[in-house]
CSV table of all heavy atoms in Angstrom, one decimal:
chain,number,residue,atom,x,y,z
A,16,TYR,N,2.3,11.6,4.7
A,16,TYR,CA,2.6,12.6,5.7
A,16,TYR,C,3.7,13.5,5.2
A,16,TYR,O,3.6,14.8,5.3
A,16,TYR,CB,3.0,12.0,7.0
A,16,TYR,CG,1.9,11.4,7.8
A,16,TYR,CD1,0.6,11.4,7.4
A,16,TYR,CD2,2.1,10.8,9.1
A,16,TYR,CE1,-0.5,10.9,8.2
A,16,TYR,CE2,1.1,10.3,9.9
A,16,TYR,CZ,-0.2,10.3,9.4
A,16,TYR,OH,-1.2,9.8,10.2
A,17,CYS,N,4.8,12.9,4.7
A,17,CYS,CA,5.9,13.7,4.2
A,17,CYS,C,5.5,14.6,3.0
A,17,CYS,O,5.9,15.8,3.0
A,17,CYS,CB,7.0,12.8,3.7
A,17,CYS,SG,7.9,11.9,5.0
A,18,ALA,N,4.7,14.1,2.1
A,18,ALA,CA,4.2,14.9,1.0
A,18,ALA,C,3.4,16.1,1.4
A,18,ALA,O,3.5,17.2,1.0
A,18,ALA,CB,3.4,14.1,0.0
A,19,LEU,N,2.5,15.8,2.4
A,19,LEU,CA,1.6,16.9,2.9
A,19,LEU,C,2.4,18.0,3.6
A,19,LEU,O,2.3,19.2,3.3
A,19,LEU,CB,0.6,16.3,3.9
A,19,LEU,CG,-0.2,17.3,4.7
A,19,LEU,CD1,-1.1,18.1,3.7
A,19,LEU,CD2,-1.1,16.6,5.7
A,20,LEU,N,3.4,17.6,4.4
A,20,LEU,CA,4.2,18.6,5.2
A,20,LEU,C,5.1,19.4,4.3
A,20,LEU,O,5.4,20.5,4.5
A,20,LEU,CB,4.9,17.9,6.3
A,20,LEU,CG,4.0,17.3,7.4
A,20,LEU,CD1,4.9,16.6,8.4
A,20,LEU,CD2,3.1,18.3,8.0
A,21,THR,N,5.6,18.7,3.2
A,21,THR,CA,6.5,19.4,2.2
A,21,THR,C,5.7,20.5,1.5
A,21,THR,O,6.1,21.6,1.3
A,21,THR,CB,7.0,18.4,1.2
A,21,THR,OG1,7.8,17.4,1.9
A,21,THR,CG2,7.9,19.1,0.2
A,22,CYS,N,4.4,20.1,1.2
A,22,CYS,CA,3.6,21.1,0.5
A,22,CYS,C,3.3,22.3,1.4
A,22,CYS,O,3.3,23.5,1.0
A,22,CYS,CB,2.3,20.5,0.1
A,22,CYS,SG,2.4,19.4,-1.4
A,23,LEU,N,3.0,22.0,2.7
A,23,LEU,CA,2.7,23.1,3.6
A,23,LEU,C,3.9,24.0,3.8
A,23,LEU,O,3.8,25.2,4.0
A,23,LEU,CB,2.2,22.5,4.9
A,23,LEU,CG,0.8,21.9,4.9
A,23,LEU,CD1,0.5,21.2,6.2
A,23,LEU,CD2,-0.2,22.9,4.6
A,24,LEU,N,5.1,23.4,3.8
A,24,LEU,CA,6.3,24.2,4.0
A,24,LEU,C,6.5,25.1,2.8
A,24,LEU,O,6.9,26.3,2.9
A,24,LEU,CB,7.5,23.3,4.1
A,24,LEU,CG,8.9,24.0,4.4
A,24,LEU,CD1,8.8,24.7,5.7
A,24,LEU,CD2,10.0,22.9,4.4
A,25,CYS,N,6.1,24.6,1.6
A,25,CYS,CA,6.2,25.5,0.4
A,25,CYS,C,5.3,26.7,0.5
A,25,CYS,O,5.6,27.7,0.0
A,25,CYS,CB,5.9,24.6,-0.8
A,25,CYS,SG,7.2,23.4,-1.3
A,26,VAL,N,4.1,26.5,1.1
A,26,VAL,CA,3.2,27.6,1.2
A,26,VAL,C,3.8,28.8,2.0
A,26,VAL,O,3.8,29.9,1.5
A,26,VAL,CB,1.9,27.1,2.0
A,26,VAL,CG1,1.1,28.3,2.4
A,26,VAL,CG2,1.1,26.2,1.2
A,27,PHE,N,4.4,28.4,3.1
A,27,PHE,CA,5.0,29.5,3.9
A,27,PHE,C,6.3,30.0,3.4
A,27,PHE,O,6.8,31.1,3.9
A,27,PHE,CB,5.1,29.0,5.4
A,27,PHE,CG,3.8,28.6,5.9
A,27,PHE,CD1,3.5,27.3,6.3
A,27,PHE,CD2,2.8,29.6,6.1
A,27,PHE,CE1,2.2,27.0,6.8
A,27,PHE,CE2,1.5,29.3,6.6
A,27,PHE,CZ,1.3,28.0,7.0
A,28,SER,N,6.9,29.3,2.4
A,28,SER,CA,8.2,29.9,1.8
A,28,SER,C,7.9,30.6,0.5
A,28,SER,O,8.8,31.0,-0.2
A,28,SER,CB,9.2,28.7,1.6
A,28,SER,OG,8.7,27.8,0.7
A,30,GLU,N,6.3,29.3,-2.3
A,30,GLU,CA,6.3,28.5,-3.5
A,30,GLU,C,4.9,28.0,-3.8
A,30,GLU,O,4.0,28.1,-3.0
A,30,GLU,CB,7.3,27.3,-3.3
A,30,GLU,CG,8.7,27.8,-3.1
A,30,GLU,CD,9.6,26.6,-3.0
A,30,GLU,OE1,9.2,25.5,-3.4
A,30,GLU,OE2,10.7,26.7,-2.5
A,31,SER,N,4.7,27.5,-5.0
A,31,SER,CA,3.4,27.0,-5.5
A,31,SER,C,3.1,25.6,-4.9
A,31,SER,O,3.9,24.7,-5.0
A,31,SER,CB,3.4,27.0,-7.0
A,31,SER,OG,2.3,26.3,-7.5
A,32,ILE,N,1.9,25.5,-4.4
A,32,ILE,CA,1.4,24.2,-4.0
A,32,ILE,C,-0.1,24.1,-4.1
A,32,ILE,O,-0.8,25.1,-4.3
A,32,ILE,CB,1.8,23.8,-2.5
A,32,ILE,CG1,0.9,24.6,-1.6
A,32,ILE,CG2,3.2,23.9,-2.2
A,32,ILE,CD1,0.4,23.9,-0.5
A,33,PHE,N,-0.7,22.9,-4.0
A,33,PHE,CA,-2.1,22.7,-4.0
A,33,PHE,C,-2.8,23.6,-5.1
A,33,PHE,O,-3.8,24.2,-4.9
A,33,PHE,CB,-2.7,23.1,-2.6
A,33,PHE,CG,-2.3,22.2,-1.6
A,33,PHE,CD1,-2.0,22.6,-0.3
A,33,PHE,CD2,-2.3,20.8,-1.8
A,33,PHE,CE1,-1.7,21.7,0.7
A,33,PHE,CE2,-2.0,19.9,-0.8
A,33,PHE,CZ,-1.7,20.4,0.5
A,35,GLN,N,-1.8,26.3,-6.7
A,35,GLN,CA,-1.5,27.7,-6.9
A,35,GLN,C,-0.8,27.8,-8.2
A,35,GLN,O,-0.3,26.9,-8.8
A,35,GLN,CB,-0.6,28.2,-5.8
A,35,GLN,CG,-1.3,28.1,-4.4
A,35,GLN,CD,-0.5,28.7,-3.3
A,35,GLN,OE1,-0.1,29.8,-3.4
A,35,GLN,NE2,-0.2,27.8,-2.3
A,72,GLU,N,12.0,14.3,-5.7
A,72,GLU,CA,10.9,14.9,-6.4
A,72,GLU,C,11.3,15.9,-7.4
A,72,GLU,O,12.2,16.6,-7.2
A,72,GLU,CB,10.0,15.5,-5.3
A,72,GLU,CG,8.7,16.1,-5.9
A,72,GLU,CD,7.7,16.5,-4.8
A,72,GLU,OE1,8.0,16.3,-3.6
A,72,GLU,OE2,6.7,17.1,-5.2
A,125,ILE,N,1.6,13.9,-9.3
A,125,ILE,CA,0.7,15.0,-8.7
A,125,ILE,C,0.4,16.0,-9.8
A,125,ILE,O,1.3,16.4,-10.5
A,125,ILE,CB,1.4,15.7,-7.5
A,125,ILE,CG1,1.9,14.6,-6.5
A,125,ILE,CG2,0.4,16.6,-6.8
A,125,ILE,CD1,3.4,14.4,-6.5
A,127,GLN,N,-1.5,19.8,-10.2
A,127,GLN,CA,-2.1,21.0,-9.6
A,127,GLN,C,-3.1,21.6,-10.5
A,127,GLN,O,-2.7,22.1,-11.6
A,127,GLN,CB,-1.0,21.9,-9.2
A,127,GLN,CG,0.1,21.3,-8.3
A,127,GLN,CD,1.3,22.3,-8.1
A,127,GLN,OE1,1.4,23.3,-8.8
A,127,GLN,NE2,2.1,22.0,-7.1
A,139,ASP,N,-5.2,19.7,-5.5
A,139,ASP,CA,-4.3,18.8,-6.1
A,139,ASP,C,-4.9,17.4,-6.3
A,139,ASP,O,-5.7,16.9,-5.5
A,139,ASP,CB,-3.0,18.6,-5.2
A,139,ASP,CG,-2.0,19.7,-5.4
A,139,ASP,OD1,-2.3,20.7,-6.1
A,139,ASP,OD2,-0.9,19.5,-4.8
A,141,ARG,N,-3.5,13.4,-6.6
A,141,ARG,CA,-2.3,12.6,-6.4
A,141,ARG,C,-2.6,11.1,-6.6
A,141,ARG,O,-3.6,10.6,-6.2
A,141,ARG,CB,-1.8,12.9,-5.0
A,141,ARG,CG,-0.5,12.1,-4.7
A,141,ARG,CD,-0.1,12.3,-3.2
A,141,ARG,NE,1.2,11.5,-2.9
A,141,ARG,CZ,2.4,12.0,-2.9
A,141,ARG,NH1,2.5,13.3,-3.2
A,141,ARG,NH2,3.4,11.3,-2.7
A,167,ASP,N,-6.3,16.6,-2.6
A,167,ASP,CA,-5.9,17.5,-1.6
A,167,ASP,C,-6.5,18.9,-1.8
A,167,ASP,O,-6.5,19.4,-2.9
A,167,ASP,CB,-4.4,17.6,-1.5
A,167,ASP,CG,-3.7,16.3,-1.3
A,167,ASP,OD1,-4.1,15.5,-0.4
A,167,ASP,OD2,-2.7,16.0,-2.0
A,271,ILE,N,15.1,18.1,3.9
A,271,ILE,CA,15.0,18.2,2.5
A,271,ILE,C,15.9,19.3,1.9
A,271,ILE,O,16.1,20.4,2.5
A,271,ILE,CB,13.5,18.6,2.1
A,271,ILE,CG1,12.6,17.5,2.6
A,271,ILE,CG2,13.4,18.9,0.6
A,271,ILE,CD1,11.1,17.8,2.3
A,273,ARG,N,16.5,21.5,-1.7
A,273,ARG,CA,15.8,21.9,-2.9
A,273,ARG,C,16.8,22.6,-3.8
A,273,ARG,O,17.6,23.4,-3.3
A,273,ARG,CB,14.6,22.7,-2.6
A,273,ARG,CG,13.5,22.0,-1.9
A,273,ARG,CD,12.3,23.0,-1.7
A,273,ARG,NE,11.3,22.4,-0.9
A,273,ARG,CZ,11.2,22.3,0.4
A,273,ARG,NH1,12.2,22.8,1.1
A,273,ARG,NH2,10.2,21.7,1.0
Side-chain angles (χ1 to χ4, degrees):
Y16 283 1
C17 287
L19 172 62
L20 298 180
T21 299
C22 287
L23 290 172
L24 185 62
C25 290
V26 168
F27 298 115
S28 63
E30 297 181 20
S31 169
I32 71 135
F33 290 142
Q35 299 183 57
E72 184 170 353
I125 308 100
Q127 302 173 344
D139 276 10
R141 180 184 179 96
D167 300 316
I271 296 176
R273 296 182 179 83

